Amino acid sequence: MTSASHSGPAPGPATGFRPHRVVVLALDGLLPFELGIPHRIFGRPKDALGRHLYEVVTCSVRPPGPVDTDADFAIHIAHGPEALADADTVIIPASYELGPVHAEGVLTEELAAALARLRPGTRLASICTGVYVLAAAGLLDGRPATTHWADAARLQRLFPKVRVDPDVLFIDDGDVLTSAGVAAGIDLCLHMVRRDHGAAVANDVARRTVVPPHRDGGQAQYIERPVPDPQQASTTTARAWALGRLHEPIQLRDMAAQESMSVRTFTRRFREETGVSPGQWLTQQRVERARHLLETTDRSVDQVARDAGFGTAQSMRQHLQAALGVTPTAYRRTFRTEKDRKAPGRTGNDGKGPSRGRQNVSTPRATRPASASAAAFSKSSTG
């Protein structure tokens, strides 16, 4: 399957615009929280004309009716498996009652029949144990995938052809995406919005949802001490200090000094709290700053590189190529803000919204942050 043709809103026959159709497959034993993630994230984005960029529909493998959850209530699902036939993206949240899918790695007859309705080119995504459905359907053979860290070993044993990575929040392998459990589903859905419409749209959704706008897919799932011991110092002050001067050279020792720690202690504590090294985190923040500036300003690539802290356009180009698979110029051309692209009086794309061929900027290389090198804390403005 390929996803490029369906990764953004597809034009309708009459108006030249229709929202990208996201279908959420609700299975018995589902977790209500994870079922609600796609609706919350994809239900928010709108274009400059106030039109929803996504249509979110929930369906079951059976005719409309109740679907059991892992809680003390069931959920009435209004659509049957026929909804999958018109999906641009299908998301499978976690379920604790997958039966033979989880026990033996084979699909049930009704689940196989439901998945047979998918069109070629449909983008597929799973949250947590929803990955078992994709694996049982043979869609992950030879491909990287992830799930909740506590279930990763079993997934690998049951599906040896799948390249299971237990350490990351999510993996984007183009037309198939998988995430770890619970909150990682939010990260995955925000990543898909970012992939479809750029950082500005995704950041607005995150702000309205009151969650961090971006956690890199390669960030560790399981942080030994996610909530710092109140008796120990945090690295929050250093991170805030660094964010306020991304355009300047930043030394690791200077970050450590903000917390009155040695470099060694600071580095250990930083990784415990964030799941990544200071160098990886700093690079992530600069990539995000560059994306924002490329989308929302007309500054030259050289100026964006300086303002984001990369120092030179070549350095920024290398980092964006590693993280996103595109050059700064290509990213800007693809992801100008919706306001800029569709404002009244502008004729880009005939005012009909982003073209379907312009949406896929994500690549498998974006699933794990590059190793932090000594250059991350050099004396030059590359930081």
Side-chain angles (χ1 to χ4, degrees), residues 262-283:
S262 68
V263 169
R264 182 176 180 179
T265 299
F266 175 81
T267 301
R268 185 184 73 251
R269 192 70 50 73
F270 195 100
R271 186 179 288 277
E272 288 174 350
E273 293 180 11
T274 68
V276 294
S277 71
Q280 290 171 328
W281 179 86
L282 195 58
T283 297

Side-chain angles (χ1 to χ4, degrees), residues 167-198:
D167 298 322
V168 297
L169 292 177
F170 61 82
I171 289 178
D172 179 345
D173 198 35
D175 57 335
V176 180
L177 302 90
T178 55
S179 84
V182 199
I186 299 176
D187 297 308
L188 175 66
C189 291
L190 283 173
H191 169 77
M192 294 167 76
V193 172
R194 187 178 296 106
R195 163 176 158 169
D196 293 346
H197 298 287

Side-chain angles (χ1 to χ4, degrees), residues 106-228:
V106 296
L107 298 175
T108 62
E109 289 187 8
E110 62 180 5
L111 187 50
L115 295 178
R117 296 173 179 266
L118 295 173
R119 297 178 297 173
T122 303
R123 181 170 63 179
L124 303 173
S126 65
I127 300 174
C128 194
T129 58
V131 69
Y132 279 84
V133 175
L134 299 180
L139 298 169
L140 296 178
D141 289 355
R143 306 182 75 155
T146 194
T147 187
H148 192 287
W149 60 267
D151 218 62
R154 176 181 177 79
L155 179 68
Q156 187 66 87
R157 288 195 303 270
L158 197 59
F159 302 102
K161 294 182 180 180
V162 180
R163 305 202 316 267
V164 179
D165 188 339
D167 298 322
V168 297
L169 292 177
F170 61 82
I171 289 178
D172 179 345
D173 198 35
D175 57 335
V176 180
L177 302 90
T178 55
S179 84
V182 199
I186 299 176
D187 297 308
L188 175 66
C189 291
L190 283 173
H191 169 77
M192 294 167 76
V193 172
R194 187 178 296 106
R195 163 176 158 169
D196 293 346
H197 298 287
V201 174
N203 289 349
D204 180 67
V205 173
R207 188 164 51 249
R208 293 176 181 275
T209 312
V210 199
V211 296
H214 178 67
R215 291 199 298 171
D216 191 273
Q219 181 171 324
Q221 279 192 44
Y222 183 63
I223 303 170
E224 289 292 340
R225 186 159 54 239
V227 179

Side-chain angles (χ1 to χ4, degrees), residues 250-253 255 278-280 282 372-380 382-383:
I250 296 177
Q251 299 286 332
L252 177 56
R253 64 175 179 269
M255 292 183 69
Q280 290 171 328
L282 195 58
S373 66
F377 292 104
S378 70
K379 292 183 178 180
S380 71
T382 58

Side-chain angles (χ1 to χ4, degrees), residues 167-351:
D167 298 322
V168 297
L169 292 177
F170 61 82
I171 289 178
D172 179 345
D173 198 35
D175 57 335
V176 180
L177 302 90
T178 55
S179 84
V182 199
I186 299 176
D187 297 308
L188 175 66
C189 291
L190 283 173
H191 169 77
M192 294 167 76
V193 172
R194 187 178 296 106
R195 163 176 158 169
D196 293 346
H197 298 287
V201 174
N203 289 349
D204 180 67
V205 173
R207 188 164 51 249
R208 293 176 181 275
T209 312
V210 199
V211 296
H214 178 67
R215 291 199 298 171
D216 191 273
Q219 181 171 324
Q221 279 192 44
Y222 183 63
I223 303 170
E224 289 292 340
R225 186 159 54 239
V227 179
D229 187 327
Q231 300 302 316
Q232 297 182 338
S234 167
T235 61
T236 303
T237 299
R239 279 177 274 156
W241 176 85
L243 286 174
R245 47 184 49 78
L246 287 177
H247 59 289
E248 300 176 3
I250 296 177
Q251 299 286 332
L252 177 56
R253 64 175 179 269
D254 294 332
M255 292 183 69
Q258 303 305 308
E259 307 292 357
S260 300
M261 296 181 189
S262 68
V263 169
R264 182 176 180 179
T265 299
F266 175 81
T267 301
R268 185 184 73 251
R269 192 70 50 73
F270 195 100
R271 186 179 288 277
E272 288 174 350
E273 293 180 11
T274 68
V276 294
S277 71
Q280 290 171 328
W281 179 86
L282 195 58
T283 297
Q284 291 172 8
Q285 304 311 310
R286 284 176 165 156
V287 167
E288 285 302 299
R289 176 69 58 84
R291 293 173 74 166
H292 175 74
L293 293 175
L294 289 169
E295 290 182 31
T296 61
T297 75
D298 291 318
R299 299 176 197 178
S300 68
V301 171
D302 286 334
Q303 185 62 52
V304 170
R306 289 192 292 270
D307 291 346
F310 289 115
T312 67
Q314 181 180 3
S315 176
M316 181 173 72
R317 187 177 298 110
Q318 291 173 343
H319 282 91
L320 261 69
Q321 193 78 45
L324 308 175
V326 294
T327 65
T329 300
Y331 184 86
R332 167 171 274 169
R333 184 170 57 246
T334 302
F335 287 130
R336 294 298 301 196
T337 63
E338 296 299 308
K339 178 179 180 181
D340 182 51
R341 243 197 275 173
K342 301 175 189 174
R346 297 189 69 91
T347 57
N349 198 29
D350 298 326

